[in-house]
Amino acid sequence: GAPVLAALGALRVGAGLVTMASHRYHLVGLNAVHPEIMSAAIDDPTKVVDYLQKATVVVLGPGLGRSEWSQQVFNLVIQTNKPILIDADGLFFLKPQPGKVNDWVITPHPGEASWLLQQQIPSTPEHRINAIKELIREYNCTVVLKGEGSLIGSPDSKIHISTHGNPGMASGGMGDLLSGVIAGLMAQGMSTESAAKLGVCVHAMAGDKAAMDDGLHGLVATDLLTAIRNLLG
C-alpha cells in the first residue's frame, strides 16, 4: 500500500508517468486497481538500475522493507545522480552524507528523526526546530520533519513551518502520500526546497479540506487525492 499511495500522490500533482518498482508478487493486481501506475518487477535488486536510467525523480523507502534485498536496492538507488526523496524504511538505511546533497529530500516523522539522530526528540517546538537543524547539518539536504506544524528546511535556507493540517491526518499512509506529492513536484522541475514547501502546504490544506467536508474521524490518505488535484488545478 505504501508505494501505491506515493505513486498516487505523484500522479495527482501532475507527474505524467509513475512507475512502481517492487517484488513481482507485490505487483499482482496493481494494474487491475490502479491502471495509471506502471509496474516494474525487480526480484533481482540489480534490475532497479535499468529503471533508474529512465527516471526523473526517485522515491525510495515506502514499502521497501528492511531485508537484504532492501539494503541492496537502497545502495544501488543512492548511487544514481537523479534527485531522490527518502522516506519510511529508506531512512533505516540512511547514514550521514558527506558534502552537500542538493537534490535529496528526507521526510522523517519524529520517531524516524530520533533514529537518524540517535537521540530522543521531545515534541516541544524548540526541540523540533533544533532537531531539523541538526538533520540538515548531518544529512546535507532538504528536510521535512513531519508532525504537528511540519517543519521544512535546507542547507541554504531558513526553517519554514506549516500552519495547516489537523489531527485526523495522523493515520497510516499520510506520509507516503506526501512523499509522492513532493516528488511529483520535483519531477516537474521544482527545486527540492520549493517542492517540499509547496508539497507540505498542498498536502496539509487537502487534509483540512477533507476534514471540513467529512469530519476528522476516520480520515485516510486517499481522502486527500481529489483536493490535492483541485488545489493545483
Side-chain angles (χ1 to χ4, degrees):
V4 172
L5 287 168
L8 289 172
L11 284 170
R12 286 302 191 183
V13 297
L17 183 65
V18 178
T19 300
M20 175 178 153
S22 188
H23 287 288
R24 188 177 307 274
Y25 55 78
H26 287 161
L27 302 175
V28 175
L30 174 66
N31 288 338
V33 180
H34 295 292
E36 309 93 337
I37 302 173
M38 305 298 103
S39 60
I42 52 169
D43 299 320
D44 176 356
T46 62
K47 294 295 183 183
V48 74
V49 176
D50 298 335
Y51 296 102
L52 289 174
Q53 295 173 1
K54 306 173 185 177
T56 304
V57 175
V58 182
V59 176
L60 176 62
L64 180 66
R66 300 183 181 184
S67 66
E68 181 179 347
W69 175 91
S70 310
Q71 176 76 79
Q72 291 179 55
V73 170
F74 180 89
N75 291 342
L76 289 166
V77 172
I78 64 169
Q79 292 174 30
T80 184
N81 60 358
K82 304 294 178 70
I84 306 173
L85 185 147
I86 304 177
D87 185 28
D89 288 327
L91 298 171
F92 176 78
F93 297 111
L94 187 64
K95 306 297 181 186
Q97 299 300 310
K100 185 173 290 185
V101 188
N102 287 318
D103 53 358
W104 281 19
V105 180
I106 62 174
T107 59
H109 58 54
E112 292 162 340
S114 295
W115 164 263
L116 291 172
L117 295 176
Q118 294 297 292
Q119 60 180 277
Q120 189 62 36
I121 300 172
S123 59
T124 62
E126 179 183 0
H127 284 98
R128 281 173 51 78
I129 289 173
N130 288 337
I132 191 173
K133 288 180 177 178
E134 183 64 20
L135 287 165
I136 292 167
R137 282 194 295 269
E138 288 287 318
Y139 294 92
N140 298 295
C141 64
T142 296
V143 178
V144 176
L145 180 55
K146 296 179 289 195
E148 183 180 357
S150 291
L151 301 173
I152 308 101
S154 66
D156 300 317
S157 79
K158 299 178 181 179
I159 305 301
H160 303 271
I161 183 168
S162 171
T163 56
H164 300 284
N166 59 77
M169 297 177 70
S171 60
M174 286 288 180
D176 303 308
L177 185 67
L178 175 62
S179 293
V181 167
I182 295 172
L185 294 170
M186 291 166 60
Q188 295 173 77
M190 296 188 71
S191 69
T192 56
E193 183 187 357
S194 295
K197 289 190 293 186
L198 180 58
V200 168
C201 183
V202 167
H203 178 263
M205 290 178 68
D208 288 343
K209 178 65 167 61
M212 184 183 302
D213 290 345
D214 299 305
L216 293 174
H217 189 72
L219 186 65
V220 297
T222 51
D223 292 336
L224 278 59
L225 290 172
T226 298
I228 286 171
R229 183 184 178 199
N230 290 338
L231 285 165
L232 291 171

